[in-house]
Amino acid sequence: MTALDWLTESQWAALSAIGTLVSAVPAMLGLWFVGIQIRAATKVADIELLQQFLATAAQLERGMLEAASVEAKDATFFEYLNYLEFLAAGLKKGIFARLSREFIRDKLLDAFAMIEFYEPWQGKLEKAKSTPNALKYIDLFRRRNRSEIDWRKEMLSKG
């Protein structure tokens, strides 16, 4: 007979439950720690996305201003529209984190206000729609945010 033979079946069940509870505490702490790490990694990825977003937008905008020929300006403008389409699609599909969403939405509002304010770009925007589905996310974004785009255009006209 061993020292533990005196435990009844219900006592063994209680002892087993206590052991399970004791082992669950470190597991829960581990899950909590993993959650914190995932959240931190998401924030870092969001910051990196914003940095890339701002750098790409600045590069394309600078390219439109510095292009030597009309053809080069048009090519850069159409590339810029494709980038804006990508951003508008990302907003629509919810692929950006909260901070990025705010910055990207604000940039899109400013970009479309500027494009609509500057008459030569208005025609180029319409010219870029070579098929009914071309720039569909840009069109959707502009329709949904019409009042804010118009407000920003008004602010541009006031100087």
Side-chain angles (χ1 to χ4, degrees):
M1 179 183 269
T2 65
L4 297 177
D5 285 342
W6 56 271
L7 291 174
T8 65
E9 193 173 311
S10 65
Q11 289 171 328
W12 273 112
L15 190 59
S16 175
I18 290 170
T20 302
L21 181 63
V22 168
S23 66
V25 170
M28 293 299 286
L29 289 173
L31 287 174
W32 176 75
F33 183 70
V34 167
I36 288 174
Q37 287 181 317
I38 290 171
R39 193 171 180 197
T42 301
K43 288 180 180 182
V44 168
D46 199 28
I47 292 297
E48 289 172 351
L49 172 70
L50 277 173
Q51 289 173 332
Q52 183 63 39
F53 155 70
L54 292 171
T56 302
Q59 175 188 1
L60 290 169
E61 289 167 351
R62 189 172 37 258
M64 285 189 295
L65 294 173
E66 295 174 353
S69 67
V70 172
E71 292 80 17
K73 284 182 190 267
D74 285 351
T76 306
F77 180 75
F78 293 134
E79 186 178 346
Y80 185 58
L81 285 180
N82 286 331
Y83 184 63
L84 297 178
E85 173 76 355
F86 164 76
L87 295 175
L91 282 180
K92 170 72 173 130
K93 298 299 182 180
I95 65 170
F96 300 122
R98 183 185 316 166
L99 180 61
S100 295
R101 251 191 333 264
E102 291 175 23
F103 274 90
I104 290 169
R105 181 179 180 277
D106 192 58
K107 181 63 177 172
L108 287 173
L109 290 168
D110 283 344
F112 295 127
M114 186 66 81
I115 288 169
E116 292 177 16
F117 177 75
Y118 186 59
E119 287 186 32
W121 288 351
Q122 290 173 6
K124 289 178 186 178
L125 175 60
E126 295 309 315
K127 181 181 172 185
K129 297 178 189 177
S130 56
T131 67
N133 278 338
L135 306 178
K136 72 178 185 179
Y137 290 104
I138 283 178
D139 288 341
L140 180 62
F141 181 87
R142 289 172 62 208
R143 276 195 307 273
R144 288 187 174 177
N145 296 281
R146 174 54 40 212
S147 62
E148 196 159 351
I149 292 170
D150 288 343
W151 179 82
R152 290 176 188 225
K153 278 186 349 192
E154 184 179 328
M155 293 298 107
L156 286 171
S157 68
K158 292 180 179 180

